[in-house]
Amino acid sequence: GRCRKCNKFCKKFECCLEQSQGATPSAWTRQQAEQIRITSANAAPIIEEPFEDTAPDLWVWDTWPLREKDGSIAVLPGGWRVIFSLTAPRSVLPGKRHDIATIRYFYARDGQDWIPGGVVFPEGDALGSRQWAGSAFVENGEIFFFYTATGRRNEAQVTYEQRMAFAKGEVFSNLNGVLFNNWEEHSIILVPDGEFYQTQEQSSGGIIYSFRDPWYWIDPESGCEYIIFEGNTATPQQPIDRECNPENIGDGDFRSGNDVPDGSANFNGNVGVALLQSSDYREWELLPPILEADCVNQQLERPHIVYVGGRYHLFIVSHKFTFAPGLDGPDGLYGFVANDFRGNYVPLGEGGLVVANPPEEPFQAYSWIVLPDLSTLSFINYYNLDGVSLDQLPSLPEQFIFNRFGGTLAPTLQLSINGTETQIVNELAQGLVMESSTESAPFTPRCERDGNCGD
Ligand code: FRU
């Protein structure tokens, strides 16, 4: 249950919960998504060969930096920046990597020449049959680590259940390098409730299910601590019996004049939220999503927020193939902006599109993550396909596939944002993570500052 003892933390929880009461998700509407266009402001430069391999023997894909609690990039004693990546041996076909993903870390003083640190968790510690994307922060020499536990340990065949997990360990860092050790037992902290967020069972009949990619985030205006994540909206009906709600289609004239293609209601991606409920980071309460893309897109992947200029910039990554019928968007980084954490998020860029793969190389990169200085990290995905579709790939010779998957960090892109306008202003070194701090914030629950937290 909720806080048993009303200590200081309990007050914070109750007051943060209050702020979410009655909140409704913002919608990424069909009307907005129809505005998606690739332009000179959002098309990424073509990634030219040759490029470097972040790890010569490993595929490297989804990556996140070690952060301070406030979201800034951590610099550890010895001067190290650290990144975590999903990895798999280069001996497996790229498509197989998701089934054996292992989180490894890399460290570099220049945030660029990454030294492999090895696996993050000792063999047998982590939950799931493999681990998918997450986030991590460091505080007083301890690391707080959130990840997706996919499948079950020792399962006979690969399953796709997704739960969110937490582990806490110690950080050892000096001039010689970085080590993580003394991990406490891992816990499952979030499973879908079936009310706000679809369970795997409820999602049968839909395309691809998600309950993953926990991103720890403290709201600098309220001090409330959240995990935001990729989910699907639960409804009492089976996906197939659903209809699109007017608010997901658009407003007034657009709504009435719009025939939504059949099957659109099967698409129900959202950005989920959970509120921290215990000071040990192991108890969280699921809240209604902050953004939903019902009837628009099935997967709003790796959601994260960057607070700049006093506004909340929410980013997700998504694929061409997860847009609902009648909508077309490239594999790219999409963003939204609001004045409050639970405010009305409106699309950035063109219908939300902030970084697009260029039309000549539609799958060259993926899994962008925007850092506090608006630089953006991603990995090199499939390139040089010359018109071959991703569906055709598996039937082609293995060597063809191996030669067309990057599995390494992509050039970092520098973005600029002005209101809802965004632009790629620079292409930087591959995998570069710059030192960057977050806008300063009070980190006190609003009710505490206002003196009305109750007892
Ligand atoms: C994005 C993603 C994440 C997931 C990971 C699995 O590229 O789909 O949502 O955690 O890849 O490999």
Side-chain angles (χ1 to χ4, degrees):
R2 295 230 172 119
C3 296
R4 282 160 291 270
K5 257 196 352 228
C6 217
N7 51 23
K8 195 163 172 248
F9 192 86
C10 171
K11 276 191 196 168
K12 174 173 164 180
F13 171 71
E14 293 298 339
C15 127
C16 291
L17 192 63
E18 214 159 275
Q19 291 185 23
S20 274
Q21 230 89 75
T24 51
S26 301
W28 187 15
T29 66
R30 291 185 65 92
Q31 183 175 19
Q32 292 166 344
E34 277 196 3
Q35 301 305 311
I36 294 170
R37 300 275 182 286
I38 302 180
T39 67
S40 57
N42 62 30
I46 292 175
I47 299 173
E48 304 281 359
E49 289 178 86
F51 41 74
E52 278 169 36
D53 293 333
T54 307
D57 49 345
L58 296 169
W59 299 131
V60 168
W61 67 107
D62 291 19
T63 296
W64 57 97
L66 179 62
R67 297 179 299 157
E68 296 288 338
K69 204 169 173 180
D70 72 358
S72 48
I73 305 299
V75 180
L76 297 179
W80 305 106
R81 274 161 262 174
V82 177
I83 51 171
F84 302 96
S85 300
L86 302 189
T87 66
R90 274 182 187 252
S91 51
V92 304
L93 276 170
K96 175 91 180 111
R97 72 188 194 280
H98 305 285
D99 297 348
I100 56 167
T102 304
I103 303 174
R104 289 185 164 79
Y105 73 101
F106 302 85
Y107 53 98
R109 277 207 192 85
D110 61 0
Q112 184 176 338
D113 298 310
W114 296 107
I115 301 167
V119 295
V120 173
F121 304 123
E123 173 90 48
D125 270 18
L127 298 167
S129 67
R130 69 273 193 209
Q131 292 72 44
W132 286 358
S135 57
F137 71 83
V138 57
E139 189 179 46
N140 300 328
E142 292 182 314
I143 177 164
F144 298 77
F145 206 103
F146 306 87
Y147 64 91
T148 311
T150 308
R152 293 278 171 131
R153 233 187 241 170
N154 304 322
E155 60 196 5
Q157 65 192 54
V158 180
T159 66
Y160 290 87
E161 184 193 26
Q162 293 152 39
R163 301 174 296 161
M164 292 184 244
F166 170 77
K168 181 178 149 185
E170 283 178 50
V171 183
F172 298 90
S173 174
N174 60 27
L175 285 174
N176 297 321
V178 178
L179 263 182
F180 302 107
N181 210 340
N182 300 339
W183 291 100
E184 292 176 9
E185 205 180 322
H186 293 217
S187 350
I188 293 295
I189 50 168
L190 288 167
V191 295
D193 57 349
E195 226 172 287
F196 298 135
Y197 303 101
Q198 264 189 336
T199 61
Q200 191 179 13
E201 248 179 12
Q202 288 171 326
S203 77
S204 69
I207 66 156
I208 309 186
Y209 139 85
S210 32
F211 190 77
R212 61 173 183 265
D213 302 352
W215 183 264
Y216 170 84
W217 196 69
I218 183 164
D219 177 350
E221 291 188 10
S222 67
C224 302
E225 292 171 70
Y226 300 101
I227 280 174
I228 65 170
F229 60 88
E230 172 190 353
N232 291 113
T233 306
T235 42
Q237 308 86 9
Q238 288 293 305
I240 207 80
D241 299 324
R242 251 187 248 134
E243 273 181 27
C244 293
N245 294 320
E247 64 268 25
N248 297 115
I249 299 173
D251 53 32
D253 290 349
F254 182 90
R255 203 187 274 180
S256 43
N258 198 273
D259 278 335
V260 179
D262 285 350
S264 298
N266 278 345
F267 292 71
N268 61 352
N270 68 32
V271 176
V273 185
L275 174 66
L276 181 61
Q277 199 177 342
S278 70
S279 51
D280 65 0
Y281 292 92
R282 289 181 199 267
E283 283 179 64
W284 297 82
E285 174 145 327
L286 287 172
L287 303 177
I290 43 175
L291 179 75
E292 62 180 30
D294 294 7
C295 290
V296 172
N297 195 308
Q298 179 71 6
Q299 293 196 125
L300 310 186
E301 304 205 89
R302 298 193 70 198
H304 54 286
I305 292 180
V306 181
Y307 180 80
V308 277
R311 302 176 85 203
Y312 296 73
H313 299 83
L314 168 64
F315 296 97
I316 58 110
V317 294
S318 200
H319 290 291
K320 187 179 173 73
F321 82 93
T322 56
F323 276 96
L327 296 173
D328 189 22
D331 277 31
L333 171 77
Y334 293 83
F336 307 85
V337 59
N339 291 326
D340 288 296
F341 176 62
R342 297 231 59 131
N344 180 34
Y345 285 89
V346 297
L348 292 169
E350 309 295 320
L353 186 57
V354 173
V355 174
N357 280 330
E360 303 86 336
E361 287 289 354
F363 306 106
Q364 70 169 15
Y366 195 62
S367 230
W368 296 266
I369 198 100
V370 185
L371 306 180
D373 60 0
L374 302 181
S375 65
T376 297
L377 196 62
S378 64
F379 75 93
I380 305 182
N381 197 14
Y382 293 99
Y383 62 97
N384 226 344
L385 287 177
D386 214 3
V388 171
S389 77
L390 289 189
D391 295 345
Q392 282 169 280
L393 258 194
S395 62
L396 294 166
E398 288 195 352
Q399 208 46 55
F400 181 96
I401 308 173
F402 278 125
N403 289 342
R404 280 160 182 85
F405 183 71
T408 182
L409 294 174
T412 292
L413 299 176
Q414 182 64 53
L415 305 179
S416 75
I417 301 181
N418 180 5
T420 59
E421 268 171 47
T422 67
Q423 197 178 354
I424 301 173
V425 290
N426 206 355
E427 186 189 38
L428 305 165
Q430 256 183 277
L432 175 64
V433 173
M434 293 173 283
E435 274 182 50
S436 57
S437 56
T438 298
E439 269 182 35
S440 65
F443 292 125
T444 326
R446 201 174 264 158
C447 68
E448 215 167 276
R449 274 185 285 154
D450 301 348
N452 58 6
C453 288
D455 351 278

